[in-house]
Amino acid sequence: MMDLDMDAEHDRPSNPLDLIERLAAFNNWTFDRDSDDELSVSVTGGWSDYHVAITWLAEVEAVHIACAFDLKVPDRRRNEVLQLVSLVNEQLWLGHFDLWSTENVVMYRHALLLSGGAEPTEEQAAALIKAAIDACERYFQAFQFVVWAGKSAKEGLEGSMLETVGEA
């Protein structure tokens, strides 16, 4: 049997959220540091404004990101949205989508594991946020199609996978 020491304390020269806060300031994103372990960031995308919550989870040494957009899922579309979440998650290499049951909001979630006292790099912090925004941008229309156009999960996903060229 493998012996895993999960109780090791590691001294960190800085809080990993400090780096992400600097990244938000550099990009002129609106942000609020709710506590030492919580940061809220607003990012404007092509389809929506994204609400990004970034949390430092010291007990598991991970930076967790949750990215949501303004789309309240009505109860009558809940099952179809859950099917869409499953289909979308099959397409993702990083992170996953959830339907947050208390608020009926779709959100993307992912984490950056920093075990053993590892410090995040600027590139890792940027990639964490980029992965979240890119996934939300990629599938935003699929969720819109299912919630507001009454499409099936499969139709919503197919509609969002069409590649467009140019601008109108």
Side-chain angles (χ1 to χ4, degrees):
M1 187 112 167
M2 193 172 8
D3 182 25
L4 298 176
D5 181 12
M6 297 297 288
D7 295 327
E9 292 282 330
H10 297 284
D11 291 328
R12 292 186 175 277
S14 66
N15 184 320
L17 295 189
D18 295 343
L19 176 65
I20 297 172
E21 185 174 0
R22 288 192 302 273
L23 178 66
F26 179 79
N27 284 286
N28 294 315
W29 295 329
T30 302
F31 66 91
D32 183 35
R33 187 76 175 259
D34 302 324
S35 70
D36 284 344
D37 297 334
E38 295 180 24
L39 178 65
S40 299
V41 181
S42 294
V43 178
T44 300
W47 295 114
S48 178
D49 289 337
Y50 298 104
H51 313 286
V52 184
I54 304 141
T55 308
W56 168 240
L57 303 167
E59 63 278 2
V60 293
E61 295 185 280
V63 175
H64 177 264
I65 188 167
C67 184
F69 40 83
D70 289 326
L71 178 69
K72 194 90 159 169
V73 177
D75 287 337
R76 64 183 164 67
R77 300 302 296 159
R78 184 176 175 75
N79 287 338
E80 203 63 40
V81 168
L82 286 170
Q83 288 181 336
L84 178 59
V85 164
S86 180
L87 292 173
V88 167
N89 285 341
E90 290 176 0
Q91 307 295 312
L92 296 175
W93 285 72
L94 297 173
H96 65 278
F97 280 94
D98 283 326
L99 179 57
W100 191 22
S101 60
T102 58
E103 300 291 326
N104 278 349
V105 173
V106 174
M107 73 170 54
Y108 170 90
R109 295 177 35 178
H110 188 44
L112 174 62
L113 192 59
L114 298 169
S115 297
E119 290 291 318
T121 66
E122 290 178 10
E123 294 81 5
Q124 286 173 314
L128 186 68
I129 293 172
K130 183 178 183 336
I133 300 302
D134 286 353
C136 289
E137 283 281 285
R138 173 89 184 184
Y139 296 105
F140 178 84
Q141 287 295 335
F143 289 105
Q144 288 285 331
F145 291 153
V146 170
V147 171
W148 299 119
K151 301 291 184 185
S152 71
K154 186 177 178 193
E155 291 170 323
L157 183 61
E158 288 171 354
S160 72
M161 301 302 278
L162 295 175
E163 294 291 328
T164 57
V165 178
E167 291 184 19

